[in-house]
Amino acid sequence: KLEFFFPSILFLGLLGLIPFSMTWIIFRPEVTGLLFFITGFWLLNSAFNKKNIHIYIIFGSLFIGFTPTLHPLFSIISFFSILGFIIHFLKNKELFKSFLISIFSIIPILILVTYFLLSDGYIEVIKGQIPLTTNGHRAIFGLIFRLLDFDINWTVGVLKIYYLIYLSIIFLAVATIIISIKNYFINTLLFTRYRINILILILSCLFTLIISFDLIYIHATISVLLLFAIISLHQEKINIYFMNTKKLFKFFILILLFLFPFSWSSINFAKYNLKENNYLSSWDLINELESFSNRKINTFVVAHQLAPLVIEKLGKPDNYNAYWLFPSVGQIYRPKNEIERINK
């Protein structure tokens, strides 16, 4: 029945309100990390009810173990989630299953560390990225400062709709923790294994927001995990509510969820058409790059996110005059003065 799948539909629809990038050409590893983590989390939770439990444990542990290798943002979340599953098996005196989770979750990290040690240059990249974790606001405070930063320009101010969505999800997560603690003192039987694993996920996400640096994709990634946890924790109540609603209202909700993923594209489409001179169309950029391919024109690439597109459209770097105005490792240098940028 449709009601049985509604929590999944709700989760996928609400993802449309969480843009992973504020520009059209960014490629980020967090999306793959989310896919791996949610898949692994589901496999490990499902393992308890399956006959081939060891297969679920192995693949679930591997999927979660891979996430820190994709981005360190997942380090705390994956560590505490794996630790929760290990402790549960240890409490049931299932040592072999705890051993499987420990070994297969750490294999991806060992492979990555070995690769770093045997390769040149990657240590310098890590050293260059370390200041990002220590400078500036923490993520949770940075989100608040973004909302308090008043801007009369509607094309910038409209982004605060998404900041409010991130903050609302955080409030829901905190409320979920408080209500769960209250229910624990009322009836300890409510704290099932599944509920405990979800609460560990929520707490580790909130802790990550407190210690992580403030970047918009941090909020997007954590918001997805919190949204996943909240919906998973209340999926039975969501199913009951959806079953008891009228068909017309069900249809309205489903249409709304279907339209949510178009929100970010709609806003950018409106901004571009209302103030066309202020924004560069992605198609214009692609056409310009394609027209360069047959000419020796000096091309200045000022953002590392554009590198894959430039290389794809122009071919090998030796075939054209390209100047990459950002460092090869570490933090991207973005001087405010344009002359200083060119000199760098």
Side-chain angles (χ1 to χ4, degrees), residues 229-268:
I230 293 169
I231 292 177
S232 299
L233 199 63
H234 300 98
Q235 58 181 326
E236 293 182 2
K237 294 181 180 178
I238 293 172
N239 278 331
I240 294 173
Y241 175 80
F242 190 70
M243 289 174 60
N244 295 328
T245 56
K246 296 181 179 180
K247 289 186 177 180
L248 185 61
F249 187 65
K250 289 180 182 179
F251 180 75
F252 173 75
I253 293 177
L254 292 174
I255 293 297
L256 198 62
L257 291 173
F258 177 77
L259 293 175
F260 277 162
F262 295 98
S263 63
W264 180 245
S265 298
S266 300
I267 289 175
N268 280 296

Side-chain angles (χ1 to χ4, degrees), residues 16-297:
L17 298 179
I18 304 177
F20 282 93
S21 65
M22 294 300 179
T23 55
W24 67 277
I25 194 60
I26 287 185
F27 309 94
R28 297 220 51 95
E30 289 83 2
V31 179
T32 307
L34 285 168
L35 177 62
F36 277 30
F37 182 88
I38 292 174
T39 302
F41 193 84
W42 174 79
L43 286 172
L44 287 177
N45 273 297
S46 303
F48 296 92
N49 304 319
K50 303 295 182 181
K51 292 182 180 180
N52 49 350
I53 183 172
H54 296 121
I55 300 297
Y56 278 74
I57 288 177
I58 290 172
F59 282 98
S61 302
L62 278 174
F63 274 120
I64 294 182
F66 268 115
T67 56
T69 68
L70 295 170
H71 198 284
L73 169 65
F74 294 98
S75 301
I76 293 174
I77 299 168
S78 61
F79 171 78
F80 282 107
S81 295
I82 289 294
L83 183 63
F85 287 108
I86 291 175
I87 291 175
H88 175 81
F89 282 118
L90 288 176
K91 286 176 63 177
N92 294 338
K93 298 182 180 180
E94 298 176 292
L95 299 179
F96 181 68
K97 294 173 183 176
S98 299
F99 176 77
L100 283 179
I101 294 179
S102 303
I103 292 299
F104 283 94
S105 63
I106 204 172
I107 284 177
I109 301 293
L110 294 177
I111 294 174
L112 181 65
V113 171
T114 304
Y115 180 75
F116 281 163
L117 295 176
L118 298 178
S119 303
D120 296 329
Y122 287 98
I123 300 299
E124 294 300 321
V125 174
I126 295 174
K127 290 180 180 179
Q129 293 290 331
I130 287 177
L132 286 175
T133 63
T134 56
N135 298 331
H137 300 299
R138 300 299 89 187
I140 185 64
F141 302 112
L143 182 61
I144 297 173
F145 291 140
R146 289 172 189 267
L147 286 168
L148 295 178
D149 183 20
F150 296 101
D151 196 317
I152 59 174
N153 187 346
W154 74 270
T155 59
V156 177
V158 73
L159 299 180
K160 294 184 180 180
I161 296 174
Y162 295 96
Y163 302 155
L164 283 172
I165 292 172
Y166 298 150
L167 194 61
S168 299
I169 294 175
I170 294 172
F171 284 148
L172 284 175
V174 173
T176 299
I177 293 293
I178 294 173
I179 294 172
S180 297
I181 294 174
K182 179 183 176 182
N183 291 337
Y184 175 77
F185 292 102
I186 298 175
N187 185 2
T188 56
L189 296 177
L190 293 175
F191 265 57
T192 61
R193 168 190 51 79
Y194 182 75
R195 181 175 290 270
I196 291 174
N197 291 334
I198 292 293
L199 292 176
I200 290 174
L201 173 58
I202 294 176
L203 285 171
S204 59
C205 286
L206 295 176
F207 183 61
T208 301
L209 283 175
I210 293 174
I211 67 172
S212 295
F213 51 94
D214 179 39
L215 287 175
I216 198 61
Y217 65 80
I218 300 286
H219 298 292
T221 306
I222 297 299
S223 294
V224 171
L225 288 175
L226 289 176
L227 187 65
F228 167 75
I230 293 169
I231 292 177
S232 299
L233 199 63
H234 300 98
Q235 58 181 326
E236 293 182 2
K237 294 181 180 178
I238 293 172
N239 278 331
I240 294 173
Y241 175 80
F242 190 70
M243 289 174 60
N244 295 328
T245 56
K246 296 181 179 180
K247 289 186 177 180
L248 185 61
F249 187 65
K250 289 180 182 179
F251 180 75
F252 173 75
I253 293 177
L254 292 174
I255 293 297
L256 198 62
L257 291 173
F258 177 77
L259 293 175
F260 277 162
F262 295 98
S263 63
W264 180 245
S265 298
S266 300
I267 289 175
N268 280 296
F269 181 78
K271 289 165 62 174
Y272 176 72
N273 284 276
L274 293 175
K275 291 193 174 184
E276 185 174 355
N277 294 331
N278 293 359
Y279 300 96
L280 175 64
S281 168
S282 58
W283 289 111
D284 291 343
L285 177 58
I286 291 174
N287 292 334
E288 286 293 328
L289 289 174
E290 289 178 344
S291 67
F292 289 167
S293 59
N294 298 323
R295 293 179 292 173
K296 289 285 185 177
I297 296 179

